[in-house]
Amino acid sequence: GGLTKEDVRALAERIGLPNADKKSSSGICFIGKRRFSKFLEQYIHPTPGEFVCVDGGGRMGRHEGFELYTRGQRSRIESGGRGAFYVVGKD
């Protein structure tokens, strides 16, 4: 658990694994070519709420359910050109 992705790729290349330079994926293989949120909605009832800024607590926008997000995931908040926002925690 102490290796970075770059370390693992370098190790894989050094020992000759065929997937050492394979494109990274953030998908979940067992759900196929579906959006993760649509997959989850088949099994749970999401809890809508607000995205909240960690710097000051201001509301940033609404989400369709905190269960549909993971830490580190891009939040899909309309930023008006201010850049991307990411989920840093769930409450």
Side-chain angles (χ1 to χ4, degrees):
L3 299 176
T4 65
K5 184 182 287 190
E6 291 79 24
D7 293 337
V8 171
R9 289 209 182 266
L11 177 60
E13 185 174 352
R14 191 170 69 244
I15 63 175
L17 293 178
N19 60 346
D21 60 353
K22 184 178 178 187
K23 181 179 177 268
S24 291
S25 169
S26 61
I28 298 175
C29 62
F30 65 85
I31 69 168
K33 299 273 183 197
R34 293 182 275 178
R35 285 193 53 185
F36 182 61
S37 59
K38 296 300 178 198
F39 171 76
L40 285 180
E41 287 172 355
Q42 294 176 9
Y43 303 97
I44 63 170
H45 299 287
T47 309
E50 299 281 340
F51 283 112
V52 179
C53 180
V54 295
D55 297 326
R59 292 186 174 144
M60 303 288 292
R62 294 207 40 88
H63 59 73
E64 296 301 316
F66 73 89
E67 302 89 348
L68 306 177
Y69 290 89
T70 60
R71 263 185 281 193
Q73 182 177 352
R74 193 171 181 152
S75 64
R76 295 188 300 236
I77 298 173
E78 290 296 324
S79 70
R82 294 179 291 161
F85 295 100
Y86 296 86
V87 176
V88 296
K90 296 174 17 171
D91 217 351

